[in-house]
Amino acid sequence: MNRGPMRKTTPIADVIMHPVRMRIIQQIGARELTTTALRETLPDVSTATLYRHVAALVDAGIVAVVGERKIRGAVERTLALGERMAHVDREELQAMDAEQLRRAFLTYLGQVAERFDESLSSDDARARDYLGFGMTQLHVTTDDLADLQARLGEMLAPYLDPDRQGTRAVTLATILLP
């Protein structure tokens, strides 16, 4: 099924900077999920709330319906990330005021902290083998930064396949601060 065109041109930040919507995007990631599977991964979110936020993400083109099948008279949809990138780009960052940026950044940090807490509470004895964090200072121009981001995208592409044998999912989070 086609991942479909964007229906609305709502700024991405207005759509994704809600904690439930960010969690939906993170759960879908580079894979496809049925609405049933998505509900199971977010048991603390009511079904009505989940469907309302999924609809907002679909309307904005961030999430796409890539399949549908009938189950006992109801239609179960399969979801994937849409064509629109699920991140805030440079133009949208420039358009946000300080309070919007602060809220977006804190929402992002909350999601990173939630992932960290999940990894710490895992029963998997090897979970810490996959944990790491650090900071380094880079000296770049805006052109350098664009080049770096493009190269990172190319470098990471082979690791985005959830069906690769013998692998484990890890979250790579990046933050650029001037």
Side-chain angles (χ1 to χ4, degrees):
M1 185 177 249
N2 185 341
R3 290 181 184 235
M6 288 181 281
R7 295 184 188 144
K8 293 183 181 175
T9 57
T10 305
I12 290 176
D14 291 349
V15 179
I16 68 170
M17 288 305 164
H18 184 284
V20 172
R21 291 180 190 162
M22 285 190 76
R23 290 175 63 200
I24 291 168
I25 292 165
Q26 288 174 337
Q27 289 303 315
I28 294 173
R31 60 188 171 158
E32 295 180 358
L33 277 182
T34 64
T35 49
T36 301
L38 185 59
R39 267 197 335 264
E40 290 170 2
T41 66
L42 301 170
D44 59 315
V45 178
S46 74
T47 301
T49 298
L50 182 68
Y51 286 162
R52 185 175 70 249
H53 288 295
V54 165
L57 291 167
V58 169
D59 285 347
I62 294 167
V63 169
V65 178
V66 296
E68 294 180 335
R69 66 183 181 133
K70 283 201 176 234
I71 299 177
R72 293 184 293 275
V75 176
E76 180 176 63
R77 300 185 305 172
T78 300
L79 307 168
L81 288 183
E83 296 300 320
R84 191 170 183 194
M85 295 293 289
H87 74 281
V88 181
D89 65 21
R90 185 177 296 156
E91 286 179 22
E92 289 188 298
L93 284 172
Q94 296 296 328
M96 295 169 78
D97 64 29
E99 187 55 37
Q100 289 173 315
L101 278 170
R102 188 173 289 108
R103 189 169 35 105
F105 186 68
L106 290 174
T107 301
Y108 173 79
L109 287 178
Q111 295 300 314
V112 172
E114 183 177 345
R115 283 289 177 104
F116 181 77
D117 286 343
E118 287 172 9
S119 70
L120 288 180
S121 62
S122 170
D123 291 335
D124 183 353
R126 294 202 50 212
R128 289 187 186 199
D129 292 346
Y130 292 88
L131 177 65
F133 49 90
M135 289 188 343
T136 190
Q137 193 169 45
L138 304 175
H139 301 274
V140 297
T141 66
T142 55
D143 289 341
D144 293 337
L145 188 56
D147 181 55
L148 178 62
Q149 289 172 320
R151 288 179 187 220
L152 277 173
E154 290 171 13
M155 183 184 75
L156 296 175
Y159 308 104
L160 298 176
D161 180 3
D163 297 323
R164 234 174 97 220
Q165 294 296 319
T167 64
R168 175 188 184 129
V170 297
T171 299
L172 174 64
T174 60
I175 300 171
L176 296 173
L177 298 172

